[in-house]
Amino acid sequence: MLTVKQNPTKAEALYIAKNLRQQEVNEIESFNASPVRDVLTGVKGSKLVFCVYNGEEPIALVGLCEYPYEEDAGLVWLMTTEAVKNNSIAFVHIIRDLIETHGSMYSKLISFVDLKATTHQKFNNIAGFTLTDEIMTCQKTGMQFLVFELITTKGLEALYYSAPKEHVQ
């Protein structure tokens, strides 16, 4: 059974960094970064971070940080081990619950997915994100990323209450 704890310890973050799925390691290393440094930077720079466990084993980190290029938008990031694959349905439920509970800090949540990572693309769709028309290209590496977004309850309320009201006669 999967469980979630907010504010993982450094030891938990390091465990996940050292046991990341190879696809995630490849993405991180393509930026000339190290998994350990990237995970610790993500944890330190996020407003919210959660650790997902399978029993006693940490299997994923989920973070939410401010997206500085768009007003009232948050960036969702995940770092996972291979164990997530064996618990994929439960993991999606946890992500959806976290989004429902904490995502309304922002009007919109954004997620970047490697153009070649079809599994991550499917995961974003299942988690409730919508693919946008944008493709981000990393100038440093040339890697391309699809941009997914999710309008939160806060965003929907803002859209509804700021929409022009039609007059009934």
Side-chain angles (χ1 to χ4, degrees):
M1 182 169 125
L2 300 186
T3 56
V4 180
K5 182 182 101 177
Q6 191 171 347
N7 301 323
T9 65
K10 185 175 181 179
E12 292 162 334
L14 288 172
Y15 178 85
I16 290 171
K18 292 175 182 174
N19 292 283
L20 282 177
R21 293 178 331 106
Q22 190 59 48
Q23 183 176 359
E24 293 187 42
V25 171
N26 294 345
E27 284 181 29
I28 291 168
E29 289 178 347
S30 75
F31 290 98
N32 294 321
S34 79
V36 169
R37 186 174 58 227
D38 219 42
V39 166
L40 293 177
T41 300
V43 168
K44 187 175 181 180
S46 295
K47 287 192 175 190
L48 291 173
V49 182
F50 299 89
C51 188
V52 180
Y53 299 84
N54 183 17
E56 297 294 314
E57 178 189 11
I59 64 168
L61 292 174
V62 182
L64 178 62
C65 58
E66 190 169 314
Y67 183 63
Y69 304 105
E70 195 168 328
E71 186 177 335
D72 201 22
L75 179 67
V76 177
W77 59 267
L78 302 171
M79 297 284 188
T80 63
T81 68
E82 288 292 335
V84 167
K85 216 186 304 184
N86 300 328
N87 299 281
S88 56
I89 293 172
F91 187 69
V92 168
H93 285 290
I94 283 175
I95 298 303
R96 283 183 171 177
D97 289 346
L98 288 173
I99 289 170
E100 183 71 28
T101 305
H102 302 284
S104 61
M105 289 174 59
Y106 300 100
S107 292
K108 182 193 298 186
L109 300 178
I110 296 171
S111 174
F112 295 107
V113 178
D114 181 349
L115 187 65
K116 298 174 187 170
T118 56
T119 301
H120 288 162
Q121 293 168 30
K122 290 175 189 172
F123 173 81
N124 271 268
N125 285 326
I126 292 168
F129 285 79
T130 303
L131 179 63
T132 70
D133 294 335
E134 291 181 74
I135 295 180
M136 302 290 287
T137 302
C138 176
Q139 293 182 5
K140 187 174 185 178
T141 66
M143 283 183 70
Q144 293 188 306
F145 294 87
L146 298 173
V147 181
F148 286 80
E149 68 180 19
L150 186 147
I151 306 301
T152 66
T153 304
K154 178 182 177 185
L156 291 172
E157 287 175 355
L159 288 171
Y160 176 77
Y161 289 114
S162 67
K165 306 293 184 233
E166 293 185 24
H167 297 287
V168 179
Q169 293 184 338

